[in-house]
Amino acid sequence: MSVVTPSVASLSGLTARPGQPPARADAPVKIDVDRMNFYYGAKRALDGISIQIRANLVTAFIGPSGCGKSTFLRSLNRMNDIIPATRVEGTVLIDGQDIYAPGVDVVELRRRVGMVFQKSNPFPKSIFENVAYGLRINDMARSKAELADRVEESLRQAAIFDEVKDRLQDSALALSGGQQQRLCIARALAIRPEILLMDEPASALDPIATQRIEELIYDLKKTYTIVIVTHNMQQAARVSDHTAFFWLGRLVEYDRTDRIFTAPAEKLTEDYVTGRCG
Amino acid sequence: MHTRRLEWIIERALFLCAALSVLTTAGIIVVLAVETFEFLREVPVVEFLTGTEWTPLFATPRFGVLPLVAGTMLVSAIAMVVALPMGLLSAVYLSEYAPDGLRRIVKPVLEILAGVPTVVYGYFALMFVTPLLQRVFPQMAGFNALSPGIVMGIMILPLVSSLSEDAMRAVPQGLREGAYALGATRMQTALQVVVPAAFSGITAAFILAVSRAVGETMIVAIAAGQQPRLTANPFVPLETMTAYIVQVSLGDTPQGTLEYRTIFAVGMLLFLMTFVLNMVSTWLRERFREEYS
């Protein structure tokens, strides 16, 4: 596919070469990926991905279906490990530590890198227990009172506490789709991850629920480094600081979001964001 | 014209085939009901259901069905104690741990267990398991509840494990991912998320297995003895409802007598028990399907 070339953005003093820090170069690098390849069996799904994701910003991954953006997202907390016959080459550093190095504790990694999925997936437990689950399995609450505090705090952070505070013991499956998704965000936040990966978190939601999730993302980036995969380009434009455009398993362009949408360096990016392809 | 006629004939023929099985079932129920009604005209229903002695073939017959029900319950309970934990654990292994290739081999092999004729299990219980158990429990009689109970448990184990596995595999992958993403281990995911999520499906499997155990005939007829006895002692001979039906059916009880009608009364009770269990099982499975559709 496309040969990646230095973009016009680099002329403005900000490096926009794929994989290099674009705008807000002052923010520290949280995730540093170098020439990463990913295979499902013999099929190469990601090809030479290099990207530096900055702390406390929202980074959006856009691209057509099957372009590898979700696969890439899921490789950042090694969620692909549970799929048989997958393989990773290259390095993925989080805070300078290679997460694919031998001896890395995947449980510990996933505690630091939380994830929210496309389809809300609350456990068939009460609302309270859904949020408490991560705290329980990771022994993160020393007392019942602390557990209850952390659950409430997480529900508040996910902007759902007021809606559920009177029915914490009810089944989570009784909530609406948008509420379930915010509950899943609360569940992910409860164990206080540093990074929050969101895989099309609003794609199954109505516009109002979507708007609430987007507002939430805006609030959360003060505390978390957020990486969001989205099909919806308006959404990427609204919520993210940086945007990475994937095409056929490659990272085509990575830059400040406003640039990606107004003055992309690559013809392919321009065609995609203007709807001419993909 | 010719084709349409043929179609008509085929359609009617297929309908008759379907109707035949429905009519047969209905016929069985009608016969059961009529004979049971005749029986209950002579033996009050309260005496039948609450009496503690079952001696219909004696000179002074007593028609209390409780010893047979208790015998059935005891053997089934022993079977479930064997089949539940083992069936559930093997389901957890097959669904959550076993690699695809292994599961494709193990599951059919396990299901072969369900294809062994029950008479083989019966003699296995009588000739192999009972002598083995008698070494551990010298007080145990040659006919008893424990040995057929254990063997019956082994017989229904594939049913429990296969249906539970189906229920667990039907749990959406997203739930597992949700747990993994919070730092759960495989074991925590399997036992704390997948099993509870599949709970109604697993319960349905268990209840179906209980129903199967209650209705199982050959093993108990061969290895449990034929002595109706109201007891919870697994070491002494007893008789289950099914074994009693076999005993009388094979004997020379004249048709139309009260002794003869006991078969239908006991059969009706047995039918009602397994029918209710099957209904509950189906209802639970339906509910499970709704939860994850």
Side-chain angles (χ1 to χ4, degrees), chain A residues 132-274:
Chain A
Y133 186 71
L135 299 169
R136 288 191 196 278
I137 59 172
N138 291 301
D139 284 324
M140 291 172 79
R142 278 180 302 278
S143 66
K144 273 196 163 174
E146 191 184 350
L147 185 72
D149 284 350
R150 293 279 295 262
V151 168
E152 178 177 337
E153 176 196 305
S154 310
L155 288 168
R156 280 191 194 284
Q157 273 192 303
I160 190 183
F161 182 73
D162 291 334
E163 289 160 66
V164 300
K165 63 184 173 196
D166 299 322
R167 46 175 177 150
L168 290 176
Q169 298 312 319
D170 289 4
S171 168
L173 300 176
L175 297 174
S176 74
Q179 289 174 325
Q180 287 193 5
Q181 193 60 301
R182 276 178 286 143
L183 179 69
C184 290
I185 294 173
R187 184 174 74 183
L189 297 180
I191 56 175
R192 294 183 182 155
E194 298 157 28
I195 300 167
L196 191 60
L197 308 176
M198 307 180 102
D199 190 357
E200 301 193 45
S203 67
L205 303 181
D206 64 63
I208 291 172
T210 300
Q211 193 190 346
R212 301 210 57 168
I213 301 277
E214 288 180 6
E215 287 164 3
L216 185 58
I217 291 169
Y218 191 80
D219 288 338
L220 291 175
K221 75 172 179 181
K222 291 173 205 132
T223 327
Y224 305 93
T225 302
I226 295 176
V227 186
I228 178 171
V229 164
T230 178
H231 256 112
N232 179 330
M233 277 177 288
Q234 286 75 28
Q235 182 170 69
R238 282 192 300 263
V239 302
S240 70
D241 301 289
H242 294 167
T243 294
F245 171 56
F246 287 77
W247 180 268
L248 296 177
R250 286 167 187 263
L251 174 60
V252 175
E253 187 166 357
Y254 174 43
D255 205 336
R256 246 166 50 189
T257 297
D258 56 348
R259 267 203 255 274
I260 289 280
F261 284 97
T262 55
E266 301 292 325
K267 178 79 171 61
L268 198 56
T269 311
E270 190 183 337
D271 288 350
Y272 183 73
V273 298
T274 54

Side-chain angles (χ1 to χ4, degrees), chain A residues 38-41 71 79-88:
Chain A
F38 185 89
Y39 300 85
Y40 289 112
T71 298
M79 196 52 94
N80 290 321
D81 285 19
I82 61 178
I83 303 170
T86 54
R87 192 159 56 85
V88 173

